[in-house]
Amino acid sequence: MKKLILIILCCLCSFGLSAQDYNKLVEEAMACAQQDSLVRAEQLFREALRLDPKNARNALLFSNLGTVLKRQGKVEEAIEAYTMALNITPYATAILLNRAALYLEQGMEEKAYIDYCNVIDLIPEEKEARLFRAYIYMQRRQYKEARIDYNVLLEKDMKNKSARIGLVMLDQKEGKYIAARDRLNLLVEEYPQDASLLKMRANIELEQGFADAALIDLEAASALEPEDADIYVMMGDIYLQQKEKSKARQSYRRAIELGIPAVQLQEKLKQC
């Protein structure tokens, strides 16, 4: 009987020490992650997981490990860590969103789509999931489904800028240029300092054959973002179509100064 009690006491002491070591490793790992000591944080998280593989907190540890790995650029390992976390807590929407973003980054759209759908099933109004699922639908040319997601977001927040831009892109893809321009006009009025909106409108104007209007928008965009090389490439293309070769050459050279490889514009410069 005394031997049995002694064994039980030893086991309890061992468990207590193990729990203390686990907690200490976790605390140190979190501190290292906050201080950007990512390699050390990874080591400590892995050590804690090995020390107590059945601990109820391991879902959080795997999630934190995934984030640390993602910050180190170890995308495949990060996905694996998030998956381990989801094996423990399959309905953790934050982890699903993290894994979906990495899937999308890796070009694994189908897997990302499944994660985003699972998030939306759990939280129908989740903005990030709706936006990225709509993006995937657009890539698949499932424009009706993409429009539904954007409209759901706008029902909750009619000023949602990303959803409104998404509808502009859908209108453009479906050839609804007047609707696209009307939406963009409102956006440009609300966000007059956003050069990307002017570039979008210029693209639509070009598709409609309104080159002069596109140039006006691009000139306004270049005033807002003078270091945006793409603007000058677009302007060069328009000038070249209008046979204004001197202006086209000047625009292309400016684009090269801003970082566009000269080889990429070599043929266009020859036409000038």
Side-chain angles (χ1 to χ4, degrees), residues 25 40 42-52:
L25 287 168
R40 180 60 179 158
E42 177 189 346
Q43 292 171 347
L44 292 166
F45 279 130
R46 292 191 186 280
E47 193 174 337
L49 289 164
R50 282 193 297 268
L51 181 66
D52 192 355

Side-chain angles (χ1 to χ4, degrees), residues 156-185:
K156 295 289 182 182
D157 176 15
M158 62 182 297
K159 293 293 186 180
N160 188 304
K161 186 180 180 183
S162 298
R164 292 166 70 190
I165 290 172
L167 288 176
V168 171
M169 295 168 67
L170 279 173
D171 287 337
Q172 185 177 4
K173 287 179 180 294
E174 293 179 328
K176 300 174 181 177
Y177 297 118
I178 294 175
R181 284 187 68 190
D182 287 346
R183 292 185 197 275
L184 266 176
N185 289 341

Side-chain angles (χ1 to χ4, degrees), residues 25-228:
L25 287 168
V26 171
E27 289 173 8
E28 189 178 345
M30 295 294 290
C32 287
Q34 290 175 357
Q35 295 166 9
D36 288 333
S37 300
L38 302 180
V39 174
R40 180 60 179 158
E42 177 189 346
Q43 292 171 347
L44 292 166
F45 279 130
R46 292 191 186 280
E47 193 174 337
L49 289 164
R50 282 193 297 268
L51 181 66
D52 192 355
K54 295 182 180 179
N55 193 298
R57 294 169 59 192
N58 282 350
L60 180 60
L61 259 65
F62 275 118
S63 177
N64 288 332
L65 175 61
T67 301
V68 165
L69 291 165
K70 178 179 71 173
R71 289 167 65 188
Q72 292 181 80
K74 299 178 180 180
V75 177
E76 291 181 4
E77 291 181 54
I79 289 173
E80 183 181 347
Y82 286 137
T83 301
M84 292 298 291
L86 288 165
N87 287 341
I88 302 170
T89 55
Y91 304 116
T93 55
I95 302 173
L96 284 167
L97 287 170
N98 283 335
R99 187 174 70 173
L102 291 181
Y103 278 146
L104 206 56
E105 183 182 316
Q106 293 295 96
M108 304 164 74
E109 288 185 358
E110 187 57 35
K111 290 186 175 182
Y113 171 77
I114 292 169
D115 277 352
Y116 287 130
C117 286
N118 286 334
V119 172
I120 291 167
D121 286 342
L122 294 164
I123 309 176
E125 68 277 10
E126 215 296 318
K127 292 181 181 180
E128 181 180 339
R130 286 280 182 185
L131 282 172
F132 282 106
R133 190 173 73 169
Y135 166 79
I136 293 170
Y137 279 139
M138 264 204 281
Q139 298 301 109
R140 296 175 173 179
R141 299 188 179 183
Q142 293 178 256
Y143 299 144
K144 180 180 178 181
E145 289 82 356
R147 195 175 289 275
I148 289 170
D149 273 343
Y150 287 134
N151 283 327
V152 167
L153 288 169
L154 290 171
E155 285 172 9
K156 295 289 182 182
D157 176 15
M158 62 182 297
K159 293 293 186 180
N160 188 304
K161 186 180 180 183
S162 298
R164 292 166 70 190
I165 290 172
L167 288 176
V168 171
M169 295 168 67
L170 279 173
D171 287 337
Q172 185 177 4
K173 287 179 180 294
E174 293 179 328
K176 300 174 181 177
Y177 297 118
I178 294 175
R181 284 187 68 190
D182 287 346
R183 292 185 197 275
L184 266 176
N185 289 341
L186 290 172
L187 282 163
V188 169
E189 285 179 17
E190 291 177 42
Y191 303 97
Q193 301 302 311
D194 190 338
S196 66
L197 296 174
L198 293 167
K199 287 167 65 178
M200 285 184 70
R201 191 165 68 181
N203 268 314
I204 293 170
E205 288 161 344
L206 282 174
E207 289 187 28
Q208 289 184 282
F210 302 145
D212 290 336
L215 274 175
I216 292 171
D217 274 342
L218 290 172
E219 286 169 1
S222 68
L224 292 170
E225 296 288 346
E227 304 300 311
D228 188 335

